[in-house]
Amino acid sequence: MVPFNYIIVLSAFMFFCGVFGVLFRRNIIAILMSVELMLNSVNLLFIGASKVVGNLDGQIMVFFIITVAACEAAVGLAMVIAIFRKFGSIDTDKLRVLRG
Amino acid sequence: MGATLLFGIFAFLIVACSLMVVLAKDSVVSAVFLVADLFVMACIYALLGADFVAAIQVLVYAGAILILFLFVIMLLNLDIVAARTNAGPLEIGMFIVVLIGFGILVVNLLLGERIELLPPGDSGLSITGKGNSYDLGLVLFSKYLWPFEMASVLILLAMVAGVLIAKRGKKKQP
């Protein structure tokens, strides 16, 4: 089996893709999907680390991360719908006002 | 050897799918590639001996969260947002910093010492020897019982928040 180093590199690449998406995409749904990508890269790291130290705590932590990711997706998509109702667009450039 | 080859295939698929997620113009294409990405990650979890987490990954992520994403995309009925990027100097600066950090990390990891995984037959991950799901349930409902209950409260809060935020505002009474 491969060493843990390669798993860290793969995970870092996924996190990097997520950062790229958050910084450069302007579609809010795409930004949310990039956040999911970053959360998943951390999951991969936890599973690999649990295999290195021989401890199940990493796999438990992945459960909680999946829970938080599900909550984040639900609330985030609700906000996307609210933003779309308010502004008629989900382009981040259209959201220039802070006041409701 | 077979496991290494499988890991290579999965890693290649993950890299390709991740790039497609962030580079695709259409949100639907992004979402479909995200499904593929999460599915391949479940394969890697299974390869690393985390069977139950792999099943949960497919059920929750590919089954529930991505359906939610596709549903919202369908609900909003968007045109393809024009393929411009908001690449101001701030974003490009942050991106370069992240790129440098990523490069340093990769070089260090590939040239540094190997951190070996436990061999598949090692008993470190199995407490009772009755399988991954059994052991995971044992740990989850004893050591992590309170965090588990807190997670249920968090899901309840997220549900209430989702309904409240996405609810249509009250119509003004005449």
Side-chain angles (χ1 to χ4, degrees):
Chain A
M1 192 55 197
V2 295
F4 187 43
N5 304 35
Y6 293 170
I7 295 175
I8 304 179
V9 169
L10 182 62
S11 161
F13 182 80
M14 281 183 70
F15 195 89
F16 179 72
C17 280
V19 170
F20 180 86
V22 169
L23 282 180
F24 289 108
R25 293 299 296 269
R26 54 178 46 211
N27 185 340
I28 295 183
I29 293 180
I31 290 177
L32 276 178
M33 283 194 275
S34 305
V35 171
E36 295 290 332
L37 209 58
M38 289 199 271
L39 284 165
N40 266 282
S41 75
V42 177
N43 282 356
L44 180 60
L45 207 55
F46 266 118
I47 298 277
S50 108
K51 183 79 174 165
V52 169
V53 299
N55 195 331
L56 280 176
D57 289 355
Q59 299 187 13
I60 301 281
M61 202 57 73
V62 170
F63 273 107
F64 293 125
I65 293 178
I66 288 179
T67 311
V68 172
C71 295
E72 174 256 329
V75 176
L77 288 171
M79 282 169 68
V80 169
I81 292 178
I83 287 171
F84 186 74
R85 276 213 193 102
K86 183 94 185 160
F87 295 96
S89 161
I90 55 166
D91 195 327
T92 46
D93 273 6
K94 300 278 165 51
L95 314 178
R96 289 208 177 278
V97 282
L98 266 181
R99 60 195 155 78
Chain B
M1 203 59 217
T4 308
L5 183 65
L6 273 180
F7 181 82
I9 295 172
F10 292 152
F12 173 74
L13 283 174
I14 281 186
V15 167
C17 291
S18 304
L19 281 176
M20 282 307 291
V21 169
V22 292
L23 294 180
K25 307 253 186 302
D26 195 347
S27 304
V28 180
V29 178
S30 279
V32 171
F33 272 103
L34 191 55
V35 174
D37 203 343
L38 300 176
F39 191 80
V40 178
M41 285 193 66
C43 299
I44 286 194
Y45 294 169
L47 202 62
L48 290 172
D51 312 336
F52 192 64
V53 179
I56 292 295
Q57 171 94 358
V58 172
L59 286 178
V60 174
Y61 263 117
I65 295 183
L66 262 297
I67 294 299
L68 203 60
F69 270 104
L70 285 172
F71 187 75
V72 169
I73 293 171
M74 181 206 73
L75 188 70
L76 298 185
N77 193 16
L78 301 167
D79 331 333
I80 297 174
V81 177
R84 296 165 297 159
T85 60
N86 47 349
L90 182 65
E91 281 87 4
I92 292 180
M94 286 198 283
F95 182 69
I96 289 173
V97 170
V98 173
L99 191 65
I100 290 172
F102 179 67
I104 292 173
L105 181 70
V106 166
V107 169
N108 267 320
L109 284 170
L110 292 184
L111 299 182
E113 63 170 330
R114 287 165 64 100
I115 310 168
E116 291 295 340
L117 297 175
L118 295 178
D122 195 287
S123 60
L125 275 178
S126 70
I127 301 168
T128 56
K130 287 184 184 172
N132 183 248
S133 312
Y134 192 94
D135 297 337
L136 216 52
L138 218 57
V139 178
L140 186 61
F141 290 111
S142 59
K143 188 177 173 186
Y144 288 95
L145 183 62
W146 284 109
F148 182 74
E149 299 293 340
M150 286 303 108
S152 67
V153 175
L154 176 67
I155 289 182
L156 181 68
L157 280 177
M159 189 180 75
V160 173
V163 170
L164 275 182
I165 292 173
K167 196 176 61 174
R168 206 177 286 273
K170 270 187 192 147
K171 295 245 168 57
K172 289 210 173 85
Q173 297 293 334

